[in-house]
Amino acid sequence: MTKFSDLALSPKVLKAVEAAGYETPTPIQEGAIPAALEGRDVLGIAQTGTGKTAGFTLPMIHLLARGRARARMPRSLVLCPTRELAAQVAENFDTYSQNVKLTKALLIGGVSFKEQDLLIDRGVDVLIATPGRLLDHFERGKLLLTGIEIMVVDEADRMLDMGFIPDIERIFSLTPFTRQTLFFSATMAPEIERITNTFLSNPARVEVARQATASETIAQEVVLIKPSRRDRAAKEKRETLRAIIAREGESCTNAIVFCNRKTDVDIVAKSLKKHGLNAAPIHGDLDQSQRTRTLDAFRSGELTFLVASDVAARGLDIPAVSHVFNYDVPSHSEDYIHRIGRTGRAGREGKTIMISAPVDDKNLAAIERLLGKDIPRADSPNQTAAPVVAEGDETKEAPKRSRGRRPRKEEPVAEVEAEPAEQPPVEQPQEQKRERGGRGRGSDRGGKKVVGMGDHMPSFIAMSFAERKTG
Ligand code: AMP
């Protein structure tokens, strides 16, 4: 097994690694660090949780230890898609560079330019920035990128999702072509491949296993819901979430609740709070100081439920989250992997529960395709579990249906669908009837109850076993 001491890092860096309590390098570190120390470009295909941040910060600290920064000419640059991720990378630098004298500046939106200008003016070894804010500084004539020796692009796939690729290309073109580039992405979309082909020179390619395959310690569940009425769908979904949380009881020590939209992040956080749960929202529209406060409270255990959007939560390093709740089924299946990867970290047990309505069928199927397996179905608990805090109208309107087990792919469809529906079908608006279909959901297609295979059931299925043998 490789040890950190085998990686040719300087004793000062090794000391900091030891102080951080790391015993052995993770696979991405084992692959990326030696190549980076040799001065090679690195293409790291890895996602959050793999230790990739130390994979680039450790060799950078080693390489930058010699030399001094000049005013307004940073020596290295780390580009991150979100402010939180940038702040986290900065923290990593602080942790690992404690025995080395390095100056750094964090250029992120939502913070005044003045303070950042001051740092840049003095000269920094490491500049950590989001692309927009970096270019703002550049355009104000406050910054020169011609002294960049090492440039890191972190979470390039997220940069692509957020429309930052033109900014990244521009930034690349402002730095000297002699720079060393360390480039990280969880996936290699064609656009990312193009960028790496253009700006990286003969990179060492280090690819580590997807987290999805590694996260055997995460128990996954999906709760299928069906709104009793279209205008109650959101309310009932929130009620289901509370019932799920109540069902998890004390095992749920802290959790992240993911929503697809920022507006829902706010609504869900408010609703949980109203029902006596210790919850707060985090998304890109909140100001930086509030986001930092919320995150700190969550890290310290003061806050129990962090309600988040994908972008805000991306790359956050929050150890020991007992649960991840997917209030919404993510529309990009990759996001499911990222979301659930927030629990069950570093070999700990974790649990994730997702709420899925009939409109989510397609996205749920895509996630299961990506996982290569079905997510076990659980009955909606809000028919059996008491809500966290007794309430007025909302509890009375709890959807009354319980869903039967969904047929597993290998099971004969006739057998499972022939199970009697546990609850009578509730009249649905016409539009919802059309959306529903397939994947073992309702048996009331087009208002007509289908038993077994409906009109198309082959007659041998109706025969008894003895009849079949003799017939
Ligand atoms: P990252 O993928 O960079 O977000 O890192 C995920 C987590 O792994 C962070 O909490 C790091 O502190 C931790 N970590 C990084 N490298 C190691 C290592 N070699 N051994 C144990 N933990 C590590």
Side-chain angles (χ1 to χ4, degrees), residues 413-421 443-445 448-458 461:
V413 178
E415 230 176 84
V416 176
E417 288 202 339
E419 282 175 11
S443 58
D444 54 341
R445 288 181 192 99
K448 187 171 158 208
K449 196 160 164 76
V450 177
V451 176
M453 290 181 172
D455 294 337
H456 309 293
M457 183 172 71
I461 286 177

Side-chain angles (χ1 to χ4, degrees), residues 87 122 138 157 186 199 208 241 248 305 352 368 374 413 417 462:
R122 264 188 239 144
F138 181 79
D157 51 330
F199 296 105
V208 300
L241 174 67
E248 292 304 300
F305 294 94
T352 182
E368 293 185 320
D374 285 359
V413 178
E417 288 202 339

Side-chain angles (χ1 to χ4, degrees), residues 118 164 170 186 217 368:
L118 221 68
F164 284 151
R170 169 130 193 261
T217 53
E368 293 185 320

Side-chain angles (χ1 to χ4, degrees), residues 4 17 20-26 28-29 47-56 85 88 92 96 155 315-319 345-346:
F4 271 107
V17 168
Y22 304 159
E23 282 162 15
T24 49
T26 64
I28 189 80
Q29 292 163 357
Q47 43 185 250
T48 307
T50 53
K52 68 178 166 57
T53 318
F56 61 80
L85 187 60
Q88 208 165 280
N92 271 259
Y96 307 132
E155 309 227 342
L316 296 185
D317 178 30
I318 300 154
R345 284 189 152 195

